[in-house]
Amino acid sequence: MALTSAFTSFNLPVKNVEQSKDFFTGLGFEFNPQFSQKDKSESIVIGDNLQVMLISQEFFNTLTQKETVDTDKYAQMTIALAFESREKVDEIVNTAVSLGGKIHEDPEDYGFMYHWGFVDLDGHMWAINYINTDAAQG
């Protein structure tokens, strides 16, 4: 049997937890209060068993001996999410920009997949996708 996780959490360092929470609330995400620590961390609910932890830079630095990535210079990863329609992809990216985010790249249409992306307030890249599973299989 393949190794699988019952629950997955990605930890992202942020400059200001409350500002980041406001940004992602504005996008329509909800937060899990079970993993909230005032001014230290907030947990974005991405799916049933998936969350992204927004962790203050100071607190994040206690979790690792390594230097964190300067997101103005380097990309560490892209968080890719899929939604129900092209229109939803456009709505999310446009809303992110209206809340202070930046466009990551131009929209791309591969026929079976529509892709666009934004950079959040802390320079983390989010790839927002619509995947037409019927077209992808055909």
Side-chain angles (χ1 to χ4, degrees), residues 46-83:
I46 301 294
D48 290 338
N49 297 309
L50 177 62
Q51 70 180 12
V52 172
M53 291 290 295
L54 305 172
I55 298 177
S56 72
Q57 184 72 54
E58 297 79 25
F59 184 46
F60 190 87
N61 289 342
T62 69
L63 305 175
T64 181
Q65 300 296 316
K66 294 183 177 186
E67 229 179 286
T68 57
V69 171
D70 178 350
T71 56
D72 288 335
K73 294 181 184 178
Y74 304 104
Q76 184 173 24
M77 70 175 183
T78 300
I79 300 166
L81 306 176
F83 292 92

Side-chain angles (χ1 to χ4, degrees), residues 17-45:
V17 173
E18 286 304 311
Q19 283 180 346
S20 292
K21 183 179 180 184
D22 290 346
F23 177 83
F24 287 100
T25 298
L27 285 175
F29 287 104
E30 292 184 355
F31 286 77
N32 182 346
Q34 181 181 10
F35 293 100
S36 174
Q37 293 184 18
K38 182 138 179 69
D39 298 325
K40 282 188 173 183
S41 66
E42 291 288 347
S43 170
I44 304 171
V45 176

